[in-house]
Amino acid sequence: MKQVLFVVLLLHVFKAEAQTSASSVADSLYAVGNYTKAINEYSKIGNASAALQIARSYNAIGNFEKAIAQYQFVTDENPDFELAHFELGKLLLKVGEFQKANVVFTYIIESNAENPEYYYYLGEVLRSQEQRNASLSQYKRAVGLDSTHLRSLFQLAKHYTIKQERDSALTYIEKGLQFYENDVAMINLKALVLYNDFQFENAIPLFERILELGENKNYVYEKLGYSYTMNWEFDKAKQAYNLLLNRDDTNSQTYFSLAKVYQKEKKLDSAKIFIHKALDVQKPIFAEGYSALANIARDQKDLKTALKYYSMAHDEDPLDARIYYNIATVNDQVGTDLNAKLAYYKNFLKQYPNEHPYFYESVRKRIRELKEEIHFAKE
């Protein structure tokens, strides 16, 4: 009897050693990216860990269908294998199987409610399903469990930045920056929050820091250039916009931005040069170019030229209320026919009844004044 037990024990030892050897070979193949051979070796072992490695190998190859099938096999056979569920959920999210991913992450949260990663990924699933409020709730749960969970902090900060809810956005941004002060994404969000809040002086060092950290993107130069302009740092603004033109000299918006810098400096002839350059590269020509020329003519007290360009802009974009408002006000300045002036303002109210309160009230006030002038002129 003792000899039988010894033989059985010996067989188990040999089997364990064989599995260890086969696992080492399979792991070595997997480590160097030889996934197909690794799958063949793992299939000889027959335990849960090897089955998981087969799923990972299919995933690494890019055969997501087989990977998902293998993960599902592993989780069906081993319902408590949390890691396999987690990886399955992430893969389902990756391939767009959002409802299935939702089920998986909900399941593992029920079994382990203390892992912030699970809430983050459930948040990502819900965001992909366009369930924004539900996704925010999951990100907040992740942050509640781990105040340094940077990806959840980023998603929350991004949401409130887009919504232009300044205080909420900055709350999550600052939490992220306390954990990782050089996180480019968080610095970028903070810069955008301040930029959208017209705090250009405070936004400038953040955009500069983004460039220092290697985020050498056009939009950074665009917003930095505008921030310099609004902060009266005209030379720096020109430098930012010229760097953009060195990258792409066919972008009309950059020329328009440079023109605005010169216009603020009261260098109106230089501003006109850049507007004409913008028009040269802008096909078709849009209303912005004509409006810019009209604004400069107005600054130069050349109201007839301004009216000509505003009219050309209106032809290009008849839906822009601001352009027609400018036509009405300039015509009011240069015209002599009170009834013609009144007609422009009345037409403004008719064509643009839901515009900004300033325009609406200004026009109504001028209509009352013109009616009084016409009445007294008749008398």
Side-chain angles (χ1 to χ4, degrees):
M1 184 66 179
K2 289 182 180 180
Q3 287 181 331
V4 173
L5 289 173
F6 177 75
V7 171
V8 170
L9 181 61
L10 197 61
L11 288 172
H12 279 297
V13 170
F14 286 151
K15 183 177 181 181
E17 289 179 348
Q19 284 186 334
T20 301
S21 177
S23 180
S24 296
V25 171
D27 288 343
S28 297
L29 291 167
Y30 181 88
V32 297
N34 198 342
Y35 300 116
T36 301
K37 287 188 177 180
I39 289 169
N40 292 333
E41 293 299 321
Y42 284 126
S43 64
K44 298 175 183 178
I45 300 171
N47 60 27
S49 296
L52 176 62
Q53 286 299 108
I54 292 172
R56 288 172 171 172
S57 298
Y58 280 128
N59 191 7
I61 292 170
N63 192 334
F64 301 134
E65 187 176 339
K66 283 193 173 182
I68 290 170
Q70 181 67 19
Y71 275 122
Q72 288 175 332
F73 167 77
V74 176
T75 55
D76 288 344
E77 294 294 315
N78 307 273
D80 296 329
F81 200 164
E82 197 171 302
L83 181 58
H85 284 286
F86 182 45
E87 292 183 12
L88 172 60
K90 289 194 290 183
L91 181 53
L92 290 168
L93 171 62
K94 180 178 180 179
V95 301
E97 294 280 358
F98 303 129
Q99 187 53 45
K100 290 181 180 179
N102 191 318
V103 171
V104 171
F105 286 117
T106 300
Y107 173 80
I108 56 175
I109 285 172
E110 289 175 356
S111 62
N112 181 358
E114 301 301 316
N115 190 332
E117 280 287 281
Y118 297 165
Y119 293 103
Y120 165 75
Y121 276 105
L122 181 56
E124 290 290 274
V125 171
L126 291 166
R127 182 167 66 89
S128 299
Q129 293 178 304
E130 299 183 356
Q131 298 181 41
R132 171 55 64 178
N133 290 335
S135 71
L136 294 175
S137 176
Q138 300 306 319
Y139 297 136
K140 288 176 182 178
R141 288 184 180 182
V143 172
L145 289 168
D146 179 2
S147 62
T148 68
H149 199 274
L150 201 58
R151 286 173 296 170
S152 294
L153 289 170
F154 174 77
Q155 288 297 345
L156 289 164
K158 180 181 177 182
H159 169 79
Y160 290 115
T161 299
I162 292 171
K163 292 289 186 181
Q164 296 194 20
E165 296 183 23
R166 175 185 176 277
D167 293 340
S168 295
L170 288 175
T171 296
Y172 291 108
I173 290 168
E174 294 299 346
K175 286 182 179 180
L177 291 175
Q178 286 174 11
F179 171 62
Y180 183 21
E181 65 179 359
N182 290 327
D183 185 271
V184 173
M186 283 295 191
I187 296 172
N188 180 59
L189 286 180
K190 185 173 181 179
L192 291 174
V193 168
L194 297 176
Y195 179 91
N196 292 334
D197 201 40
F198 307 107
Q199 297 185 45
F200 300 110
E201 184 177 1
N202 294 327
I204 285 169
L206 295 171
F207 285 125
E208 291 174 336
R209 182 61 179 151
I210 291 168
L211 293 174
E212 289 173 5
L213 292 170
E215 190 72 3
N216 200 22
K217 301 291 181 63
N218 286 358
Y219 81 91
V220 180
Y221 287 106
E222 290 167 4
K223 296 193 179 300
L224 183 56
Y226 185 77
S227 298
Y228 283 139
T229 303
M230 300 306 292
N231 204 44
W232 301 89
E233 297 182 64
F234 299 131
D235 288 338
K236 288 184 177 181
K238 292 173 193 174
Q239 184 180 11
Y241 289 132
N242 281 315
L243 281 167
L244 274 176
L245 289 177
N246 288 336
R247 293 177 165 208
D248 179 10
D249 61 1
T250 64
N251 189 334
S252 63
Q253 188 56 54
T254 307
Y255 290 110
F256 283 132
S257 297
L258 263 172
K260 288 176 183 176
V261 177
Y262 284 106
Q263 191 173 357
K264 286 181 76 72
E265 287 187 300
K266 303 302 180 183
K267 298 178 180 178
L268 302 181
D269 290 335
S270 296
K272 283 196 286 188
I273 289 171
F274 283 102
I275 291 172
H276 283 294
K277 286 184 177 182
L279 295 176
D280 287 340
V281 299
Q282 189 182 66
K283 303 298 180 186
I285 295 173
F286 296 109
E288 181 181 6
Y290 293 131
S291 290
L293 289 171
N295 292 337
I296 290 175
R298 204 169 185 177
D299 287 345
Q300 293 176 318
K301 311 302 181 185
D302 186 355
L303 297 181
K304 289 185 178 180
T305 300
L307 186 57
K308 180 186 76 171
Y309 282 125
Y310 282 134
S311 296
M312 293 169 70
H314 179 65
D315 290 339
E316 295 295 331
D317 187 2
L319 298 179
D320 190 324
R322 183 183 294 273
I323 295 173
Y324 194 83
Y325 176 80
N326 286 327
I327 290 173
T329 55
V330 173
N331 184 74
D332 196 356
Q333 291 177 275
V334 300
T336 57
D337 187 333
L338 294 178
N339 286 299
K341 295 180 181 185
L342 181 61
Y344 274 107
Y345 286 118
K346 283 185 173 180
N347 193 51
F348 179 89
L349 294 183
K350 179 180 178 182
Q351 296 296 325
Y352 312 101
N354 300 312
E355 288 309 314
H356 192 281
Y358 169 78
F359 291 137
Y360 195 78
E361 292 304 319
S362 176
V363 168
R364 290 184 66 186
K365 178 182 178 183
R366 186 57 182 145
I367 287 174
R368 289 194 297 269
E369 292 171 349
L370 284 167
K371 283 182 176 179
E372 288 181 8
E373 291 181 41
I374 292 169
H375 174 72
F376 288 118
K378 287 179 180 179
E379 292 185 351

